[in-house]
Amino acid sequence: RTPYRNNAPYQPVDQDEGDFRIVVDKEYEEGLIELEKFKYIYVVYYLHRATKPSSMLVSPLWVGGKQVGVFSSRSPDRPNPIGISIVRVKGIVANEIFISGLDAYDRTPLIDIKPYINDLDVKHDANYGWVDDSEDKEHLILHIKGIPH
């Protein structure tokens, strides 16, 4: 559940206001045991409202017309419309996980949940790929991070 009915951000906004929660079917509730001990989780979901046919070249809205390969972008228009986000776990009650902001429409179908584990999931030498070569790198990084500016 999210407050987004018609527009959603391109990336999760941790401090976003509203009702953000994951409701799992009761039959999977037992699978949530001990999940609240993790600060963050991966949320994998089906981009059920993606309407554009996928193309191997995309032009992210925030790069002024530059085209990149779909697999080097975070475009929601993908050959397999699957989204993945990292969100903060605020609490769990029964079959509901209360989370920080999620960049998905309300009632987006959930595919999976996985714990985010510091030593496994943090890559300290990660870079910004093709954005590193951009003259406007600092501005583009704000867009990538979903920081309003």
Side-chain angles (χ1 to χ4, degrees):
R1 301 304 312 257
T2 76
Y4 307 125
R5 305 297 187 272
N6 296 310
N7 293 307
Y10 290 104
Q11 298 297 320
V13 179
D14 185 65
Q15 300 301 321
D16 214 349
E17 305 264 333
D19 180 21
F20 293 94
R21 59 193 154 101
I22 298 167
V23 181
V24 300
D25 291 342
K26 283 286 198 184
E27 66 185 287
Y28 301 113
E29 183 177 338
E30 188 176 30
L32 301 178
I33 293 174
E34 300 284 332
L35 187 64
E36 76 279 354
K37 292 187 177 179
F38 291 91
K39 284 188 175 185
Y40 296 94
I41 56 174
Y42 286 101
V43 181
V44 183
Y45 48 94
Y46 174 60
L47 300 170
H48 69 300
R49 290 180 56 178
T51 58
K52 293 180 185 174
S54 65
S55 171
M56 290 301 104
L57 290 176
V58 297
S59 182
L61 296 175
W62 40 269
V63 295
K66 177 179 177 73
Q67 286 193 319
V68 298
V70 70
F71 300 123
S72 65
S73 80
R74 298 238 177 158
S75 170
D77 302 318
R78 313 192 69 75
N80 290 308
I82 297 170
I84 182 169
S85 295
I86 299 169
V87 297
R88 192 167 28 90
V89 176
K90 294 181 172 182
I92 299 176
V93 177
N95 64 323
E96 296 188 39
I97 309 166
F98 295 87
I99 59 173
S100 59
L102 176 65
D103 55 334
Y105 291 115
D106 192 42
R107 299 188 179 272
T108 293
L110 178 68
I111 295 174
D112 202 359
I113 302 164
K114 296 188 182 299
Y116 180 99
I117 299 173
N118 190 29
D119 288 340
L120 298 177
D121 296 318
V122 172
K123 305 299 180 196
H124 295 288
D125 63 341
N127 65 5
Y128 290 99
W130 53 266
V131 174
D132 282 334
D133 300 332
S134 172
E135 291 179 18
D136 201 13
K137 176 182 173 181
E138 298 305 317
H139 182 245
L140 297 179
I141 289 172
L142 294 174
H143 283 282
I144 290 170
K145 292 180 177 181
I147 298 173
H149 59 284

